[in-house]
Amino acid sequence: MKKYLKESAAKAGIELEEEKLEKFGTFYELLLETNKSFNLTAITEMQEVVLKHFVDSIMIEKCFSLSKEIEKQCCPIKRIADVGTGAGFPGIPLAILYPNIEFVLMDSLKKRLNFIETVLEKANIKNVTVVHGRAEDLGQNSNYREKFDMCVSRAVASLPVLLELCTPFVKVGGKFVSYKSELLKEELGQSKSALSILHCALERQYEYTIPDSDLYRVLAIFSKEKKLEKKYPRQAGKPKRNPL
Ligand code: SAM
């Protein structure tokens, strides 16, 4: 697994040192082992886990080159939230890639977070905390509201809903990065009112094909321009029932 991950990441121009590969190896073993008794992922074949989970998660490096900024000790991103992290995607691969950035992984399903806590302990990952709760509630909690330089999220909701769930965590001037695929164009068309209400703007899109595959993906990068009105996010369930 480690050799294949190293080669696949290198094809995308991302270098993974042995220490990081070791952590991915532990994560991989625990994912497969735990998945036998508790459904964490439908993807279990080694090459697919590597490409669709690990490499896809770290593709954000291609947009922001945070590794270089960390090396030069001038990284502007200090704290990242992952909303609806599930079994830890993209949060854990990103935390392994960026050991100097602090990550907060959030999910409403406690059992998935228990799995993540085991991974953190066994893989000796020190820069992650997990928080159990609905994004709608955590976004109103002063410990998390507008406290992050960046928020990321993958496969959680359609964009108009996701914007309301995720942008409350982002500081003014910070970024929200949504991992999407073919549906992005259509979802952007449905997000005009949400973007305006939440004071966010689409900054750019980064399109890519996952190495060794023909799988199209796109990262939509939004910037937050102003503080959010207190009434957002609305109470749990409302963003999905009645998108902005
Ligand atoms: N991000 C992971 C990935 O890409 O593999 C998991 C995706 S999984 C399909 C969606 C996850 O989002 C689930 O673990 C679910 O519990 C969580 N989720 C959905 N709505 C949420 C909400 N309002 N607040 C917090 N977590 C939520």
Side-chain angles (χ1 to χ4, degrees):
M1 191 297 290
K2 288 194 291 178
K3 185 169 178 285
Y4 186 63
L5 172 59
K6 189 178 172 65
E7 288 168 2
S8 307
K11 280 183 192 166
I14 302 171
E15 204 191 315
L16 291 173
E17 307 91 342
E18 187 51 37
E19 197 188 337
K20 293 178 179 170
L21 291 168
E22 274 296 317
K23 294 186 193 297
F24 274 106
T26 305
F27 182 22
Y28 173 73
E29 279 161 27
L30 288 167
L31 185 69
L32 292 201
E33 184 55 38
T34 313
N35 208 44
K36 288 180 191 159
S37 52
F38 170 58
N39 181 29
L40 290 166
T41 176
I43 299 168
T44 53
E45 196 269 321
M46 186 277 281
Q47 297 193 344
E48 278 202 298
V49 174
V50 166
L51 299 177
K52 293 185 182 170
H53 280 330
F54 296 167
V55 177
D56 187 40
S57 292
I58 60 175
M59 286 302 285
I60 212 171
E61 169 67 8
K62 304 295 292 172
C63 295
F64 297 98
S65 302
L66 293 180
S67 295
K68 280 199 197 94
E69 308 226 15
I70 289 169
E71 217 176 277
K72 288 189 277 172
Q73 299 189 327
C74 61
C75 182
I77 310 287
K78 309 264 185 265
R79 206 167 177 231
I80 299 181
D82 178 12
V83 172
T85 189
F89 301 108
I92 293 185
L94 288 175
I96 295 174
L97 186 65
Y98 304 130
N100 298 339
I101 298 179
E102 184 195 336
F103 285 81
V104 177
L105 274 45
M106 306 174 181
D107 205 284
S108 53
L109 208 66
K110 184 77 175 84
K111 269 185 140 182
R112 295 208 170 112
L113 296 178
N114 293 344
F115 163 72
I116 291 177
E117 280 180 327
T118 306
V119 174
L120 299 178
E121 192 197 321
K122 297 257 162 53
N124 197 23
I125 298 170
K126 304 276 189 211
N127 53 329
V128 176
T129 48
V130 297
V131 181
H132 176 224
R134 302 271 307 229
E136 296 92 320
D137 300 323
L138 298 173
Q140 289 289 359
N141 180 325
S142 59
N143 290 325
Y144 308 110
R145 187 177 175 87
E146 299 187 330
K147 292 286 193 293
F148 293 86
D149 306 299
M150 182 181 279
C151 176
V152 295
S153 189
R154 191 184 81 157
V156 172
S158 69
L159 196 57
V161 179
L162 202 58
L163 284 162
E164 185 172 357
L165 298 183
C166 293
T167 59
F169 298 108
V170 179
K171 293 177 187 168
V172 174
K175 315 269 181 227
F176 166 50
V177 181
S178 174
Y179 286 65
K180 290 281 178 189
S181 53
E182 287 83 3
L183 288 179
L184 177 67
K185 202 171 168 214
E186 188 184 325
E187 292 184 10
L188 274 173
Q190 299 159 352
S191 300
K192 293 200 171 88
S193 130
L195 285 170
S196 153
I197 291 170
L198 301 166
H199 309 304
C200 286
L202 177 67
E203 194 177 277
R204 62 191 161 117
Q205 299 177 44
Y206 177 77
E207 296 183 298
Y208 59 97
T209 306
I210 297 181
D212 278 347
S213 78
D214 53 6
L215 298 166
Y216 169 84
R217 298 283 187 269
V218 54
L219 297 174
I221 300 151
F222 301 90
S223 54
K224 178 153 165 181
E225 296 170 336
K226 275 201 269 176
K227 249 179 135 52
L228 198 58
E229 279 173 69
K230 182 73 188 120
K231 62 179 169 182
Y232 301 112
R234 292 167 293 166
Q235 71 189 56
K238 265 210 166 165
K240 191 170 175 193
R241 272 199 309 277
N242 182 19
L244 292 172

